[in-house]
Amino acid sequence: PCIGFHMEAERVARGMSLLISGIIGVRDFSECSITLMSHGGRIIVSGKRLLLSVYEGNCVEIIGRVEGIEFRYGKD
């Protein structure tokens, strides 16, 4: 079965809040880059002062100054 992917962005005091669902794991994270795993591949969020504030079920919330979002499909 295919689990849906959904992303919402909202402006907040610390920069931006990204809510992303359909996540099956966190591969790497630091203040400047967070790599998330989904069934379709990887989502790489880059920026400054990034914080992974929620990881519950298959949903994550990232807060900080988001400067880029990259999608990499497949397993590489």
Side-chain angles (χ1 to χ4, degrees):
C2 183
I3 294 176
F5 168 80
H6 182 81
M7 182 168 55
E8 293 181 26
E10 180 181 3
R11 180 93 169 101
V12 295
R14 292 192 56 192
M16 185 176 288
S17 167
L18 283 181
L19 289 170
I20 307 171
S21 63
I23 300 304
I24 58 173
V26 177
R27 184 170 180 178
D28 294 304
F29 70 93
S30 69
E31 279 195 347
C32 59
S33 178
I34 298 176
T35 302
L36 305 170
M37 305 302 290
S38 73
H39 287 286
R42 291 179 283 164
I43 300 120
I44 303 163
V45 178
S46 58
K48 295 180 180 157
R49 298 183 307 278
L50 297 178
L51 172 68
L52 187 63
S53 67
V54 174
Y55 179 25
E56 185 176 325
N58 67 340
C59 188
V60 298
E61 180 181 22
I62 297 170
I63 297 175
R65 184 174 174 174
V66 176
E67 296 176 341
I69 302 170
E70 181 179 351
F71 299 93
R72 295 206 181 158
Y73 299 100
K75 305 237 188 251
D76 69 4

